[in-house]
Amino acid sequence: MNHELNGQEQAEVEEWIHASEENRKIAKDYYQLSFAVTFLQFIKRSAPQKALEKVDKRLKKEQFQKIYLFVQRVAIILLLPLLVLSGYLLLQPERKVPVFYLEARMTPGMIGSTILPDGTKVWLNSSSYLKYPNIFSGDTREVTLDGEAYFEVVANAEKPFIVHTDNSSVKVLGTEFNMDAYSCNDFIATTLVEGSIEFKYRNEDHLLQTMIIKPNEQVIYDKKTNRTQIGETYVAKDIAWKNGQIILKDTPLSDILWILSKRFNVEFIVKKPAFYKYSFTGVFTNQQVERVLEHFKRSSGIQYKMNYQFDKDGEIIKSQIELY
């Protein structure tokens, strides 16, 4: 839209646009949005500035001086009452800012980010939900997560940052970590990038347990058995989603299908259970699911078939991929 692409890049974009009706609709929406933003910026740059220049030209020096002297007199007259009012307000008890909750939601297949009131940045994966207050009051900073999120927490030793999920919570002071905690799944996976975090959960006896996680470690909590596993992990693979990447390193097919289902909002049907014995290594950046499956097809012989369900307006409401 800004004519900044080279020939190869433009060809890739055009190929993506013509790949499906949904892609064409997205491209059209972005074009209209880009045009509206550009037009609005033009108005902001031109109209107010021209109006101001006309006013400045018409304003005579003598009139300006009269207005200036008048404002000075008014300011002196109002000074004493303003001082009295300021003293009164300073002596009043501090009013509490009303606390209300905000929600950030990602639609299926989309990735986004948000900034919390303390400056903490949060990336949200597809179909994720984050609930947080408009202001962090009290001694803690608490949010609720259903889905997957990457947190860059602003350090504050006096106000711990706590993430609540379906069956666990994470407590930090200032760090970076990833949390995969979809309520529809039977597990919660937390990966620490830097700093340290406290992972709290209920054990088999329903007693509250606390586990300290170190950088480059991942803890997986089984919500059915209330058991945990902790060990070193390949961090780049766990957090690649926030940059639009898929990084695999001897990754089992079951884990790959979970990554792809989140990233592209699709459901997989595996016709041959033997496929689950396969594992793959590779890096995919901003590619469609068909491109990824083609790599699997070439390396392992796995065939795939795309199935779609449409609504009455012809929009895709569900996508299924059969592996056979």
Side-chain angles (χ1 to χ4, degrees):
M1 296 172 190
N2 296 327
H3 306 289
E4 298 174 352
L5 302 182
N6 59 36
Q8 176 63 28
E9 292 172 336
Q10 185 166 344
E12 292 177 359
V13 172
E14 290 177 353
E15 180 185 355
W16 175 82
I17 290 175
H18 292 93
S20 68
E21 183 62 33
E22 182 181 8
N23 291 358
R24 284 192 288 272
K25 183 177 183 300
I26 292 174
K28 182 179 178 181
D29 292 342
Y30 270 111
Y31 174 79
Q32 293 175 345
L33 179 62
S34 176
F35 177 81
V37 171
T38 303
F39 184 69
L40 180 61
Q41 291 174 343
F42 172 78
I43 293 175
K44 288 183 176 180
R45 287 197 305 267
S46 59
Q49 185 63 31
K50 289 181 179 179
L52 183 60
E53 290 174 356
K54 290 181 180 179
V55 172
D56 289 340
K57 290 179 180 178
R58 293 177 182 177
L59 189 63
K60 295 180 180 179
K61 185 177 181 180
E62 293 181 359
Q63 291 176 323
F64 177 78
Q65 290 176 340
K66 290 179 181 178
I67 294 173
Y68 179 73
L69 291 173
F70 174 75
V71 171
Q72 276 189 322
R73 295 191 186 100
V74 172
I76 294 172
I77 294 172
L78 292 177
L79 180 60
L80 183 59
L82 285 174
L83 288 174
V84 174
L85 178 61
S86 299
Y88 172 77
L89 292 175
L90 288 172
L91 293 175
Q92 294 301 305
E94 183 179 355
R95 291 185 178 181
K96 291 185 177 180
V97 177
V99 178
F100 55 90
Y101 285 87
L102 305 171
E103 297 180 353
R105 293 180 182 269
M106 286 299 108
T107 56
M110 299 297 290
I111 296 172
S113 63
T114 187
I115 304 293
L116 302 186
D118 65 336
T120 292
K121 188 169 184 179
V122 184
W123 285 262
L124 291 172
N125 206 345
S126 171
S127 301
S128 295
Y129 160 83
L130 184 71
K131 180 181 178 181
Y132 59 95
N134 63 311
I135 184 172
F136 289 117
S137 59
D139 299 328
T140 58
R141 297 170 287 167
E142 301 189 35
V143 301
T144 301
L145 172 67
D146 183 351
E148 185 169 21
Y150 182 88
F151 295 87
E152 278 187 5
V153 180
V154 173
N156 187 341
E158 298 179 356
K159 268 193 174 185
F161 189 89
I162 301 174
V163 182
H164 295 284
T165 63
D166 192 18
N167 292 65
S168 66
S169 66
V170 164
K171 179 180 179 182
V172 304
L173 299 178
T175 184
E176 296 185 26
F177 65 98
N178 190 81
M179 201 164 189
D180 187 343
Y182 288 89
S183 59
C184 59
N185 284 341
D186 295 330
F187 70 91
I188 295 173
T190 302
T191 301
L192 181 59
V193 179
E194 62 179 47
S196 65
I197 60 178
E198 294 181 2
F199 183 81
K200 296 186 177 183
Y201 65 99
R202 297 281 179 181
N203 63 14
E204 300 96 319
D205 300 321
H206 301 288
L207 299 176
L208 188 62
Q209 298 289 310
T210 300
M211 179 181 296
I212 305 297
I213 307 176
K214 300 177 182 178
N216 300 319
E217 286 186 340
Q218 181 186 65
V219 58
I220 299 177
Y221 173 66
D222 190 319
K223 292 190 286 188
K224 285 187 174 180
T225 63
N226 294 331
R227 294 179 180 178
T228 59
Q229 291 181 346
I230 188 170
E232 290 192 0
T233 184
Y234 184 45
V235 173
K237 172 181 68 71
D238 297 335
I239 67 174
W241 64 267
K242 77 182 185 72
N243 298 318
Q245 289 185 311
I246 298 173
I247 298 178
L248 309 176
K249 186 178 180 181
D250 293 326
T251 306
L253 180 65
S254 58
D255 292 348
I256 295 173
L257 297 185
W258 168 236
I259 294 172
L260 295 178
S261 65
K262 289 186 294 183
R263 179 68 181 86
F264 300 107
N265 186 32
V266 295
E267 178 185 350
F268 285 93
I269 299 175
V270 180
K271 294 294 187 178
K272 296 183 179 180
F275 289 164
Y276 286 113
K277 297 179 181 179
Y278 296 173
S279 60
F280 298 87
T281 297
V283 178
F284 306 93
T285 302
N286 296 324
Q287 293 191 8
Q288 295 299 306
V289 65
E290 293 89 347
R291 292 278 185 92
V292 179
L293 293 174
E294 279 296 326
H295 285 282
F296 295 162
K297 180 179 177 180
R298 296 192 191 111
S299 61
S300 66
I302 293 179
Q303 304 291 322
Y304 67 91
K305 178 183 177 182
M306 308 285 293
N307 299 317
Y308 301 103
Q309 291 184 12
F310 301 89
D311 61 15
K312 61 180 181 180
D313 298 322
E315 297 289 339
I316 298 175
I317 58 176
K318 190 175 183 180
S319 300
Q320 285 186 336
I321 298 177
E322 293 184 13
L323 301 183
Y324 60 94

